[in-house]
Amino acid sequence: MTRLSVNINKVATLRNARGENVPDVVRFAIDCERFGAQGITVHPRPDERHITRADVYALRPVVKTEFNIEGYPSDDFMRMVCEVRPAQVTLVPDAPSAVTSNAGWDVIANAAFLKDICSRLSDAGIRSSIFVDADPAQVRKAAEVGANRVELYTKPYADNYFTDRESAVKPFVEASQEAADAGLGLNAGHDLNLSNLAYFYRRLPHLDEVSIGHAIISDALYLGIEQTIARYLLCLRP
Protein backbone atom coordinates (compact mmCIF):
# COMPACT_ATOMS: atom_id res chain seq x y z
CA MET A 1 0.00 0.00 0.00
CA THR A 2 1.25 3.47 -0.90
CA ARG A 3 0.64 5.87 1.96
CA LEU A 4 -0.58 9.45 1.56
CA SER A 5 1.24 12.00 3.71
CA VAL A 6 -0.32 15.47 3.70
CA ASN A 7 2.12 18.37 3.83
CA ILE A 8 0.45 21.11 5.90
CA ASN A 9 2.94 23.93 5.29
CA LYS A 10 0.45 25.98 3.27
CA VAL A 11 -2.03 25.89 6.15
CA ALA A 12 0.61 27.50 8.34
CA THR A 13 1.33 30.08 5.61
CA LEU A 14 -2.32 31.15 5.69
CA ARG A 15 -2.35 31.28 9.49
CA ASN A 16 0.83 33.34 9.61
CA ALA A 17 -0.64 35.94 7.27
CA ARG A 18 -2.81 37.20 10.14
CA GLY A 19 -0.49 36.46 13.04
CA GLU A 20 -3.18 34.57 14.95
CA ASN A 21 -4.15 30.90 15.10
CA VAL A 22 -6.67 30.64 12.29
CA PRO A 23 -6.55 28.17 10.68
CA ASP A 24 -5.33 25.98 13.52
CA VAL A 25 -2.46 23.85 12.15
CA VAL A 26 -2.72 21.21 14.88
CA ARG A 27 -6.48 20.86 14.42
CA PHE A 28 -6.02 20.61 10.67
CA ALA A 29 -3.46 17.79 11.06
CA ILE A 30 -5.84 15.88 13.32
CA ASP A 31 -8.65 16.31 10.79
CA CYS A 32 -6.45 15.13 7.91
CA GLU A 33 -5.77 11.92 9.81
CA ARG A 34 -9.46 11.58 10.67
CA PHE A 35 -10.32 11.84 6.97
CA GLY A 36 -7.86 9.10 6.01
CA ALA A 37 -4.40 10.62 5.59
CA GLN A 38 -1.73 8.12 6.61
CA GLY A 39 0.89 10.71 7.50
CA ILE A 40 1.56 14.38 8.19
CA THR A 41 4.54 16.18 6.67
CA VAL A 42 6.02 19.52 7.72
CA HIS A 43 9.03 21.49 6.52
CA PRO A 44 10.12 24.01 9.16
CA ARG A 45 12.40 26.52 7.46
CA PRO A 46 14.84 28.76 9.35
CA ASP A 47 12.74 31.91 8.72
CA GLU A 48 9.58 30.14 9.97
CA ARG A 49 7.56 31.55 7.10
CA HIS A 50 5.13 28.65 7.38
CA ILE A 51 5.63 25.81 9.87
CA THR A 52 7.41 27.01 13.00
CA ARG A 53 9.54 25.14 15.49
CA ALA A 54 6.71 25.55 18.01
CA ASP A 55 4.37 23.84 15.52
CA VAL A 56 6.72 20.88 15.28
CA TYR A 57 6.70 20.36 19.05
CA ALA A 58 2.92 20.88 19.23
CA LEU A 59 2.24 18.37 16.46
CA ARG A 60 4.42 15.58 17.80
CA PRO A 61 2.05 14.31 20.53
CA VAL A 62 -1.11 14.59 18.43
CA VAL A 63 -0.01 13.02 15.12
CA LYS A 64 -1.02 9.37 15.41
CA THR A 65 -0.01 8.27 11.92
CA GLU A 66 3.46 8.88 10.47
CA PHE A 67 5.09 12.21 11.32
CA ASN A 68 7.57 13.25 8.61
CA ILE A 69 9.79 16.30 9.07
CA GLU A 70 11.58 17.69 6.01
CA GLY A 71 14.54 20.02 6.09
CA TYR A 72 18.17 20.80 5.48
CA PRO A 73 20.19 19.04 8.20
CA SER A 74 21.72 22.07 9.89
CA ASP A 75 22.85 21.78 13.49
CA ASP A 76 19.63 23.45 14.71
CA PHE A 77 17.46 21.19 12.58
CA MET A 78 19.23 18.06 13.77
CA ARG A 79 18.89 19.08 17.42
CA MET A 80 15.18 19.62 16.93
CA VAL A 81 14.42 16.34 15.16
CA CYS A 82 16.51 14.33 17.61
CA GLU A 83 14.43 15.83 20.42
CA VAL A 84 11.08 15.38 18.66
CA ARG A 85 11.90 11.95 17.16
CA PRO A 86 9.40 11.77 14.31
CA ALA A 87 8.93 8.53 12.41
CA GLN A 88 10.85 9.93 9.44
CA VAL A 89 13.16 12.78 8.54
CA THR A 90 13.44 13.72 4.87
CA LEU A 91 16.74 15.41 4.10
CA VAL A 92 16.56 18.15 1.47
CA PRO A 93 19.42 20.26 0.07
CA ASP A 94 17.49 23.57 0.09
CA ALA A 95 19.23 26.81 0.88
CA PRO A 96 17.46 28.86 3.59
CA SER A 97 16.20 31.31 0.97
CA ALA A 98 14.64 28.64 -1.30
CA VAL A 99 10.94 29.17 -1.98
CA THR A 100 10.42 25.42 -2.35
CA SER A 101 12.49 22.32 -2.96
CA ASN A 102 13.71 22.43 -6.56
CA ALA A 103 16.34 19.69 -6.87
CA GLY A 104 17.54 16.57 -5.18
CA TRP A 105 20.83 16.04 -3.36
CA ASP A 106 24.05 15.33 -5.16
CA VAL A 107 24.56 12.41 -2.82
CA ILE A 108 27.81 11.41 -4.51
CA ALA A 109 29.41 14.81 -3.83
CA ASN A 110 28.00 15.01 -0.29
CA ALA A 111 28.46 11.38 0.70
CA ALA A 112 30.53 11.91 3.85
CA PHE A 113 28.19 14.59 5.18
CA LEU A 114 25.03 12.58 4.51
CA LYS A 115 26.53 9.39 5.91
CA ASP A 116 27.11 11.16 9.23
CA ILE A 117 23.57 12.61 9.22
CA CYS A 118 21.96 9.24 8.46
CA SER A 119 24.00 7.64 11.23
CA ARG A 120 22.83 10.26 13.73
CA LEU A 121 19.20 9.72 12.72
CA SER A 122 19.59 5.97 13.00
CA ASP A 123 21.05 6.31 16.49
CA ALA A 124 17.96 8.37 17.44
CA GLY A 125 15.61 5.70 16.07
CA ILE A 126 14.45 7.87 13.16
CA ARG A 127 14.00 6.63 9.59
CA SER A 128 16.05 8.68 7.11
CA SER A 129 14.95 9.57 3.59
CA ILE A 130 17.15 11.49 1.14
CA PHE A 131 15.49 13.73 -1.45
CA VAL A 132 16.99 12.85 -4.85
CA ASP A 133 16.43 13.31 -8.55
CA ALA A 134 15.39 10.28 -10.59
CA ASP A 135 19.00 9.22 -11.13
CA PRO A 136 19.91 5.59 -10.40
CA ALA A 137 23.48 6.57 -9.48
CA GLN A 138 22.24 8.98 -6.80
CA VAL A 139 19.76 6.39 -5.51
CA ARG A 140 22.52 3.79 -5.28
CA LYS A 141 24.75 6.20 -3.38
CA ALA A 142 21.92 6.99 -0.95
CA ALA A 143 21.89 3.33 0.02
CA GLU A 144 25.66 3.37 0.46
CA VAL A 145 25.56 6.30 2.89
CA GLY A 146 23.01 4.52 5.08
CA ALA A 147 19.66 6.08 4.15
CA ASN A 148 16.57 4.00 4.78
CA ARG A 149 14.62 5.55 1.90
CA VAL A 150 14.87 8.01 -0.96
CA GLU A 151 12.22 10.51 -1.97
CA LEU A 152 12.11 11.10 -5.72
CA TYR A 153 11.73 14.74 -6.80
CA THR A 154 8.76 14.49 -9.15
CA LYS A 155 8.46 17.97 -10.67
CA PRO A 156 10.07 16.86 -13.97
CA TYR A 157 7.45 14.12 -14.22
CA ALA A 158 4.62 16.56 -13.50
CA ASP A 159 5.96 19.14 -15.98
CA ASN A 160 6.04 16.61 -18.83
CA TYR A 161 3.05 14.46 -17.94
CA PHE A 162 0.63 15.96 -20.45
CA THR A 163 3.21 16.04 -23.24
CA ASP A 164 4.33 12.40 -23.04
CA ARG A 165 3.52 10.65 -19.81
CA GLU A 166 5.38 7.46 -20.72
CA SER A 167 8.63 9.34 -21.33
CA ALA A 168 7.98 11.48 -18.26
CA VAL A 169 7.65 8.52 -15.92
CA LYS A 170 10.42 6.34 -17.41
CA PRO A 171 13.33 7.78 -15.35
CA PHE A 172 11.26 7.33 -12.18
CA VAL A 173 10.50 3.70 -12.98
CA GLU A 174 14.23 3.10 -13.45
CA ALA A 175 15.13 4.93 -10.24
CA SER A 176 12.46 3.03 -8.31
CA GLN A 177 13.86 -0.29 -9.49
CA GLU A 178 17.33 0.81 -8.40
CA ALA A 179 15.93 1.64 -4.97
CA ALA A 180 14.29 -1.79 -4.72
CA ASP A 181 17.50 -3.52 -5.80
CA ALA A 182 19.47 -1.54 -3.18
CA GLY A 183 17.01 -2.38 -0.41
CA LEU A 184 15.75 1.19 -0.04
CA GLY A 185 12.22 2.28 0.69
CA LEU A 186 10.73 4.64 -1.89
CA ASN A 187 8.88 7.93 -1.41
CA ALA A 188 7.96 10.60 -3.95
CA GLY A 189 6.80 14.18 -3.94
CA HIS A 190 6.57 17.57 -5.61
CA ASP A 191 3.77 18.67 -7.95
CA LEU A 192 1.92 15.37 -7.77
CA ASN A 193 -1.80 16.05 -8.08
CA LEU A 194 -5.19 14.57 -8.98
CA SER A 195 -4.32 14.63 -12.68
CA ASN A 196 -0.99 12.79 -12.60
CA LEU A 197 -0.88 10.77 -9.37
CA ALA A 198 -2.78 7.64 -10.39
CA TYR A 199 -0.60 6.96 -13.43
CA PHE A 200 2.57 7.53 -11.43
CA TYR A 201 1.34 5.14 -8.75
CA ARG A 202 0.50 2.42 -11.26
CA ARG A 203 3.93 2.60 -12.87
CA LEU A 204 5.94 2.45 -9.62
CA PRO A 205 4.95 -0.77 -7.84
CA HIS A 206 7.52 -0.28 -5.07
CA LEU A 207 6.21 3.14 -3.99
CA ASP A 208 5.86 3.37 -0.20
CA GLU A 209 4.66 6.94 0.25
CA VAL A 210 3.76 10.17 -1.51
CA SER A 211 4.01 13.52 0.24
CA ILE A 212 1.68 16.15 -1.22
CA GLY A 213 0.94 19.62 0.07
CA HIS A 214 0.38 22.48 -2.34
CA ALA A 215 -2.02 20.57 -4.61
CA ILE A 216 -4.03 19.12 -1.73
CA ILE A 217 -4.51 22.48 -0.02
CA SER A 218 -5.38 24.12 -3.35
CA ASP A 219 -7.93 21.43 -4.18
CA ALA A 220 -9.39 21.72 -0.68
CA LEU A 221 -10.36 25.34 -1.39
CA TYR A 222 -12.93 23.97 -3.85
CA LEU A 223 -13.67 20.47 -2.58
CA GLY A 224 -13.08 20.70 1.17
CA ILE A 225 -10.29 18.77 2.84
CA GLU A 226 -12.34 15.63 3.54
CA GLN A 227 -13.38 15.18 -0.09
CA THR A 228 -9.91 16.11 -1.31
CA ILE A 229 -8.17 13.46 0.78
CA ALA A 230 -10.74 10.89 -0.34
CA ARG A 231 -9.98 11.66 -4.00
CA TYR A 232 -6.22 11.39 -3.50
CA LEU A 233 -6.64 8.08 -1.70
CA LEU A 234 -8.63 6.80 -4.70
CA CYS A 235 -5.61 7.58 -6.90
CA LEU A 236 -3.56 5.23 -4.70
CA ARG A 237 -6.01 2.35 -4.81
CA PRO A 238 -4.86 -0.84 -6.64
Side-chain angles (χ1 to χ4, degrees):
M1 182 184 72
T2 301
R3 300 166 67 90
L4 173 66
S5 185
V6 177
N7 185 318
I8 60 173
N9 284 358
K10 289 297 189 297
V11 180
T13 301
L14 181 59
R15 175 202 60 190
N16 294 352
R18 289 290 294 269
E20 297 175 349
N21 194 39
V22 178
D24 184 329
V25 169
V26 172
R27 181 74 255 171
F28 191 86
I30 293 170
D31 286 340
C32 285
E33 291 184 318
R34 182 162 59 91
F35 298 143
Q38 295 128 334
I40 298 296
T41 292
V42 295
H43 187 156
R45 295 181 181 274
D47 62 6
E48 298 195 322
R49 64 179 179 267
H50 36 63
I51 289 292
T52 67
R53 291 174 64 88
D55 290 330
V56 172
Y57 286 96
L59 286 163
R60 182 64 184 95
V62 302
V63 173
K64 304 305 180 185
T65 58
E66 179 186 276
F67 192 26
N68 173 43
I69 302 178
E70 299 179 347
Y72 178 83
S74 64
D75 290 342
D76 285 346
F77 179 84
M78 290 300 294
R79 279 194 293 271
M80 178 182 66
V81 297
C82 287
E83 289 177 1
V84 173
R85 299 202 178 194
Q88 177 174 271
V89 165
T90 300
L91 306 170
V92 298
D94 298 2
S97 60
V99 173
T100 187
S101 301
N102 55 20
W105 280 96
D106 184 340
V107 187
I108 296 169
N110 294 278
F113 174 67
L114 290 171
K115 183 175 183 179
D116 176 66
I117 294 297
C118 289
S119 177
R120 290 170 62 186
L121 292 173
S122 178
D123 289 345
I126 302 167
R127 182 201 308 142
S128 58
S129 178
I130 298 180
F131 194 65
V132 296
D133 297 325
D135 178 346
Q138 297 292 346
V139 172
R140 189 160 52 249
K141 196 65 178 180
E144 292 176 11
V145 303
N148 302 117
R149 292 187 182 183
V150 289
E151 179 174 328
L152 300 179
Y153 171 57
T154 50
K155 181 173 172 57
Y157 162 75
D159 286 347
N160 295 295
Y161 174 78
F162 288 108
T163 302
D164 184 348
R165 67 181 187 176
E166 177 58 32
S167 295
V169 83
K170 183 180 178 181
F172 295 87
V173 174
E174 294 171 352
S176 72
Q177 187 58 56
E178 186 66 37
D181 292 345
L184 288 171
L186 183 69
N187 300 340
H190 207 96
D191 285 2
L192 295 174
N193 57 42
L194 288 174
S195 297
N196 60 39
L197 178 59
Y199 180 73
F200 187 84
Y201 163 72
R202 290 196 300 270
R203 293 301 312 276
L204 273 71
H206 305 297
L207 187 60
D208 291 301
E209 175 185 300
V210 291
S211 176
I212 305 175
H214 185 83
I216 283 180
I217 304 308
S218 297
D219 289 334
L221 295 176
Y222 296 92
L223 302 172
I225 190 60
E226 181 175 9
Q227 182 60 225
T228 296
I229 289 175
R231 292 196 186 189
Y232 276 86
L233 289 173
L234 281 176
C235 293
L236 300 173
R237 181 172 293 178

